[in-house]
Structures are given as C-alpha cells and as structure tokens.
Amino acid sequence: MSFFPLLLLPLIFSTTTVSILLSPAEARGGGQWQLLQKNIGIVAMHMQLLHNDQVIIYDRTDFGLSNISLPNGRCRHDPDEKVVKIDCSAHSLEYDAISNTFRPLFIQTDIWCSSGSVSPNGTLIQTGGYRDGERKVRTFNPCPSCDWEEYSNALVVKRWYSTNQILPDGRQIIIGGRRQFNFEFYPKTGASAKNTYSLPFLVQTYEAEGDAENNLYPFVFLNVDGNLFIFANNRAILLDYNNNKVVKTYPAIPGGDPRSYPSTGSAVLLPLRNLQQKLVEAEVIVCGGAPKGSFQKAKKRDFVGALDTCGRIKITDPNPMWTMEKMPGGRVMSDMVLLPNGYVLLINGAASGTAGWEYGRNPVLNPLLYKPDGVIGARFQIQNPSSIPRMYHSTAILLRDGRILVAGSNPHVGYNFQKVVFPTELRLEAFSPWYLKADFNDLRPEVMFPSPQTKVMCRVNLKVVFRVKAVRKSVAVTLLAPSFNTHSFSMNQRLLVLDEVKPTSRNVAAGGYEIEVKLPSLPFLAPPGFYLLFVVHEEVPSQGVWIQLV
Ligand SMILES: *[C@@H]1O[C@H](CO)[C@@H](O)[C@H](O)[C@H]1NC(C)=O
Ligand SMILES: *[C@@H]1O[C@H](CO)[C@@H](O)[C@H](O)[C@H]1NC(C)=O
C-alpha cells in the first residue's frame, strides 16, 4: 500500500496550482513594522483599547519621573513615595490610534502589575496594583477629557499580578495575585459583595522560586459552558465560580515545565466556531515559557533557553488531552494576539531567561504567525523582525484597522536609559500583518452596515453589508473582544466566527454584497460589551466596526 500515495502525487500536482499548496500567509510575506512614536514618555506595561479607538496605557507611579509631564502644572503628592515625593510627570496616557497622538492622564496610586476588564458599558475598570494601590479600583470612562477615577478599599484584599475576566452577567472576576489564593468579584453588588472565595488550585500550583511564585497572572478564559478555564504553572482546572466548585481537572501539560509568571509563556482561546451547535467546542493553546528553575538560574546570570513548545487542548472534551507542537524557536514573555481572520500572532519576548528584573536575554525580534487549522508541523510562519527588543513589561494589542500596537519593555527597577543591556523603551511601533499590504486592496472588504456603535442583541440575525471589488471565495464575519494586555497575557481576548444564516449575495442598492450571520445566543459565548466586527474575505479582514452586544 505504501507506494500508492506516491503514485498519486504527480496527479495532484498536475491538477492543483501552487497557490493552493502554499498558505496565503506564506505566499504573501512576513508583515511590516512602522515606528509610530519615538517617545511616549512612559513604559507601556499595560494596554487596553477602548471603543473610541483610544488606547489606555500605564506603567507605575513609584518608578521615578517619567518622560512626559502632567498638564496644567499638576503634580502627584505622595509623602510615602520612595523615589519622588512630588511627581509632576504622568504615568498613564491615552493614545489615539487614529490620529497617532497622546495625552497624559493623572493617576494617584500605584497601578503597577495590575489587571482589568472593560465593563459592558465601555468603561475600563482597573483593579489593584502595588502598595497604596493594592486594594484600589480605578475606572476610566471613554471621553475626550476624561481621566481616571479612583476608589479606595474597593477590593476586599490586595491584588497584585491577578487576572480578570468579564463574566456573562457583566461583572468581572479577579483571580489570585501575589499570595492571594482566592478570587472576588467587581462591581460589589449584592449580599456576597464583601466575600472572597478560596481557590485551592492556586495553593497547589504555588511553587516558590526565590521571591517569585510560578502561578501569577494565571491564564483565564470563559469557557462556552459558562465555567472558567484557569491555567497556572503547568496545569489547569475548569471552575464553576458560582458554586466555587472545580468541575474538571485537566492533565498537566506534558514536560511539566511552568508557563506562568515568572516563567512567562502566553495563551489564547482559539477562535470559537459553529456557535449554533449544541456542543460548541473550545480550544486553548499555551505557548512558550521557561523551564523549571530558570528564574533562580537567571538570578545567577545563567539564562536558560526558553521553551519552544506549545500545548493545545480542547477544553470542552470529555477526556481532554494536550497536543504538543514545536515553535521554530524558544520564547518567553511573548504576547499572543488573535487576528481578525483567526490567525494567532506571537510577538515580543526573549529566547532565554525569565520575566523579572534583568532576567531576560536574547530578544526574539521576529513575530510568529500561527494558523490554528493548518497542518500540524506547518502552522508557524516566521514574520519580519522589528529592530526593538521588547523584553519584560512589553505589550501588544490589536487595533481596529488590523495593525498590532507594540510598546513597552523595561526590565529595570526604574527608568533606565543608559549603560544597561535593554534600556527602558519608550518607543511605540505597529506591526502590520501581510493582509494590510496594498496588494490585497482588491480583496479587502469595507463594511457599510452595521454602522459604528450599533447596539445588537444576542441571538438575532444580523445583516452585514460590505463592498469589495468582487467576492471570489470565502467570506466570514468575526467578532473580536479587545483585551487588557499585560505581562504577556491578554485578558478577555476572544474571537467568534459567526454562523452564516444567509450566504453572501449581491446587494445592488448598496453597490456591494450582503451576508446574514447569527449573533451568539448565550452570554457564555460572548459576554455583553463592545466588540469589533470584521468581514474577512479570503483571509483579508476589513477594518473593524465597533458594535455593542447587549
Ligand atoms: C524627556 O527626555 C528628553 C531626553 O532625555 C529630555 O530632554 C526631556 O526633558 C524629557 N522630558 C520630560 C518631560 O521628562
Ligand atoms: C459603567 O459601569 C461601571 C460599572 O458598573 C460604572 O462604574 C461606570 O460609571 C459606568 N459608566 C458609565 C459611563 O455609565
């Protein structure tokens, strides 16, 4: 039998064109880098895109003076501050992704290594931080003159290195943090508002490596059954947070090496499809990290090579198993960004060492494109490199136009621009995947309906009208939840491929085409809030349109 495929091969080649054998991404090249700003004044340690195309960025208040002043002679007075007691520089800003401008924001207490989610009405709710900021909640309403509002003692316990996830009812859950083996909810509504709920999984995954623990910033995803998938260190559970019950324990990731901070790998929930099916499938992929013991070794200037594997698991499976895949190289502190067309971009980070002060080496300048439904062994494609190392405290988020905003990097205790291996990085860049090349303008759809900021209900059929030179093949409509990115994890990141209920047809009146899709029926699939809607034509996405799922 073994000769049989060989006999068939020439036949296949003679009837198939090369362009079908190569994936479009391979055929189309490795993306482009663009320097957006030479100096935004702060380190972009945390980033969140809001539905007015503004990106909220912040670093920390106990860092010393940043390189951007607060407006109107405003200063932050803090007698407890170690570095500067009167600080007239900003530690947060709002970046306008459309005009490529920014304005400083005022923040009083320390927001360092914190977490957040955008609430369903579009307000960013940030939680926790360090010292005077550890039990604070801060909100940012999107408006041209808005600034942070801070609420004291708004959290029950201190939250530093926690992970947040927006829930189907619009609240957010805040999980873990340094020496916090529990979770709580925000806003604080109802009788249980003052409670924390113990989470033994965080005790089980606590593995002290010197002054760090390998289970911080756990990777959390809202599963399609309403439970939470929580990965920390090298294993995962499925948590029914309503009853505080572990409903499933996943096998440990093969190899057993840690993937959470400070062995910082990254993870995404892969695009959700076939949403009308009774049993929707959900898959998570965890990539990179640092071998066990790397943090302690890095302290002794021994920078161990990062993990070059990804583990992929169908979290909805009755008997879930990890499938391991090899990346073209090791990566630690990389970000994983879902692209509108369902690809995953791995970007930023290093090839050796770990997260933490001065512990990363060998920056990985090339992003990787991962095609989830590609052939195993041929899913990764190396992208063109940046020239800027993005080490510890760097970030990456998707913008509405399909570019990836890349910023940050500071492996030092303060701002440090001289005589260090990786100077504090204040430059802002954008990475444009291949689909933004002008060569694909003919394929690129332009969405005409829904119009921006349209409110749509769960479950309804939505007519999407778009223009494109000619529909050649596949058209898909996707919904993307923008994420809160910090420490190589994108909280709340989620991509839904909507089911087509009426195929693409001409819409003569609009001078284009229309397709009808079904919006997800359960808030488990898509919690309420703002999403970017994209029309994807042969893997080339339109610009996103903000819609609000209510
Ligand atoms: C920012 O850095 C530049 C160059 O080092 C310096 O000239 C400028 O005064 C700094 N600005 C602020 C507001 O710190
Ligand atoms: C949105 O909801 C949050 C949380 O409930 C609240 O703090 C905020 O003020 C609301 N924003 C607006 C603009 O109403």
Side-chain angles (χ1 to χ4, degrees):
M1 283 301 282
S2 62
F3 65 90
F4 196 67
L6 282 176
L7 278 179
L8 273 177
L9 254 172
L11 257 178
I12 292 169
F13 275 101
S14 64
T15 55
T16 318
T17 63
V18 175
S19 67
I20 291 169
L21 295 175
L22 279 179
S23 83
E26 277 161 350
R28 292 165 184 187
Q32 271 194 329
W33 288 90
Q34 179 192 8
L35 183 65
L36 296 174
Q37 291 289 342
K38 285 192 187 129
N39 184 349
I40 57 166
I42 67 167
V43 180
M45 284 191 193
H46 315 74
M47 291 209 287
Q48 169 78 55
L49 175 69
L50 301 178
H51 69 276
N52 54 358
D53 293 310
Q54 305 294 316
V55 179
I56 302 303
I57 303 177
Y58 61 86
D59 54 11
R60 55 186 290 196
T61 54
D62 59 343
F63 226 24
L65 298 176
S66 77
N67 201 247
I68 179 170
S69 299
L70 284 164
N72 313 320
R74 203 168 173 195
C75 298
R76 195 173 60 85
H77 295 258
D78 187 350
D80 295 333
E81 197 55 78
K82 282 185 184 146
V83 184
V84 271
K85 298 193 190 302
I86 302 173
D87 184 352
C88 308
S89 70
H91 293 282
S92 176
L93 52 86
E94 184 185 47
Y95 172 73
D96 184 330
I98 307 289
S99 65
N100 188 24
T101 55
F102 52 93
R103 70 176 175 104
L105 301 174
F106 181 85
I107 202 139
Q108 176 62 38
T109 59
D110 203 359
I111 42 191
W112 182 36
C113 297
S114 62
S115 47
S117 297
V118 177
S119 83
N121 65 9
T123 295
L124 171 59
I125 299 182
Q126 179 279 353
T127 58
Y130 187 53
R131 296 181 64 222
D132 63 351
E134 62 198 13
R135 285 185 58 206
K136 290 276 194 308
V137 167
R138 306 162 188 87
T139 60
F140 187 91
N141 285 330
C143 95
S145 60
C146 285
D147 213 328
W148 288 102
E149 287 169 36
E150 300 190 45
Y151 301 93
S152 293
N153 300 329
L155 297 176
V156 182
V157 295
K158 55 187 187 183
R159 297 286 174 191
W160 194 33
Y161 294 84
S162 310
T163 298
N164 298 21
Q165 167 70 50
I166 197 87
L167 298 173
D169 64 5
R171 289 179 305 164
Q172 54 177 306
I173 187 169
I174 306 146
I175 300 176
R178 290 199 89 165
R179 307 205 171 93
Q180 292 298 343
F181 309 101
N182 56 60
F183 57 88
E184 65 182 285
F185 300 92
Y186 194 86
K188 300 290 180 191
T189 46
S192 59
K194 291 281 168 247
N195 295 354
T196 63
Y197 301 85
S198 98
L199 187 56
F201 174 68
L202 292 178
V203 178
Q204 291 147 19
T205 51
Y206 178 97
E207 199 175 347
E209 275 207 54
D211 53 354
E213 306 98 61
N214 261 321
N215 66 353
L216 299 177
Y217 278 124
F219 305 140
V220 177
F221 301 105
L222 175 66
N223 191 13
V224 295
D225 63 1
N227 294 313
L228 292 174
F229 174 87
I230 306 176
F231 181 102
N233 193 338
N234 58 11
R235 51 195 184 274
I237 53 165
L238 192 62
L239 178 74
D240 169 358
Y241 59 87
N242 284 310
N243 300 301
N244 195 9
K245 202 169 152 239
V246 174
V247 291
K248 195 180 280 185
T249 299
Y250 294 91
I253 195 164
D257 287 310
R259 310 273 180 164
S260 305
Y261 177 94
S263 291
T264 308
S266 191
V268 282
L269 176 68
L270 290 173
L272 299 170
R273 299 167 192 278
N274 303 317
L275 307 176
Q276 304 303 304
Q277 273 176 12
K278 222 169 158 189
L279 297 171
V280 179
E281 289 186 340
E283 246 183 306
V284 165
I285 184 167
V286 178
C287 289
K292 198 176 169 129
S294 295
F295 184 75
Q296 290 289 65
K297 286 185 182 156
K299 278 192 166 173
K300 297 178 194 132
R301 308 270 141 217
D302 174 9
F303 304 102
V304 178
L307 299 174
D308 65 355
T309 53
C310 298
R312 190 165 152 168
I313 193 163
K314 205 167 276 178
I315 64 173
T316 43
D317 227 49
N319 294 301
M321 297 289 286
W322 292 95
T323 307
M324 301 308 285
E325 293 178 52
K326 237 183 162 59
M327 294 187 282
R331 299 185 85 106
V332 61
M333 296 182 281
S334 288
D335 290 283
M336 293 176 82
V337 181
L338 286 170
L339 302 182
N341 58 5
Y343 281 76
V344 181
L345 189 74
L346 283 90
I347 194 163
N348 297 344
S352 54
T354 65
W357 304 132
E358 318 293 343
Y359 295 159
R361 286 295 182 278
N362 303 323
V364 192
L365 299 173
N366 298 80
L368 281 178
L369 201 57
Y370 176 77
K371 188 179 190 188
D373 57 357
V375 182
I376 292 199
R379 287 179 178 163
F380 289 102
Q381 195 213 344
I382 299 172
Q383 301 293 286
N384 293 328
S386 168
S387 60
I388 303 176
R390 300 286 182 180
M391 312 295 280
Y392 186 41
H393 288 147
S394 58
T395 44
I397 55 166
L398 183 88
L399 297 175
R400 187 169 64 77
D401 60 13
R403 288 178 303 162
I404 291 82
L405 185 67
V406 178
S409 186
N410 188 19
H412 317 295
V413 178
Y415 297 95
N416 199 340
F417 302 101
Q418 266 138 29
K419 296 189 190 127
V420 283
V421 203
F422 302 108
T424 302
E425 191 49 71
L426 305 180
R427 283 175 289 181
L428 195 62
E429 286 172 293
F431 176 74
S432 296
W434 59 267
Y435 55 65
L436 288 170
K437 268 167 72 175
D439 308 18
F440 305 107
N441 285 353
D442 284 357
L443 294 178
R444 193 180 330 281
E446 181 196 344
V447 179
M448 303 167 76
F449 186 86
S451 41
Q453 314 292 334
T454 299
K455 275 189 182 160
V456 288
M457 307 276 290
C458 281
R459 280 185 298 276
V460 301
N461 291 351
L462 179 72
K463 187 156 79 165
V464 177
V465 181
F466 62 96
R467 274 197 197 132
V468 66
K469 204 160 181 200
V471 168
R472 301 221 307 225
K473 260 195 297 182
S474 66
V475 172
V477 178
T478 60
L479 274 191
L480 191 98
S483 59
F484 180 97
N485 177 274
T486 191
H487 288 76
S488 306
F489 186 57
S490 291
M491 304 175 196
N492 297 307
Q493 185 170 229
R494 195 171 191 86
L495 183 76
L496 298 105
V497 182
L498 301 183
D499 290 316
E500 178 181 304
V501 288
K502 234 190 242 165
T504 308
S505 63
R506 275 215 77 101
N507 180 324
V508 178
Y513 296 86
E514 65 177 60
I515 180 173
E516 208 169 300
V517 290
K518 185 109 184 154
L519 288 166
S521 53
L522 280 172
F524 299 168
L525 293 177
F530 286 89
Y531 287 77
L532 281 168
L533 178 142
F534 295 92
V535 173
V536 182
H537 175 221
E538 290 197 62
E539 301 197 338
V540 177
S542 64
Q543 295 221 342
V545 175
W546 287 108
I547 62 164
Q548 190 181 10
L549 216 54
V550 293

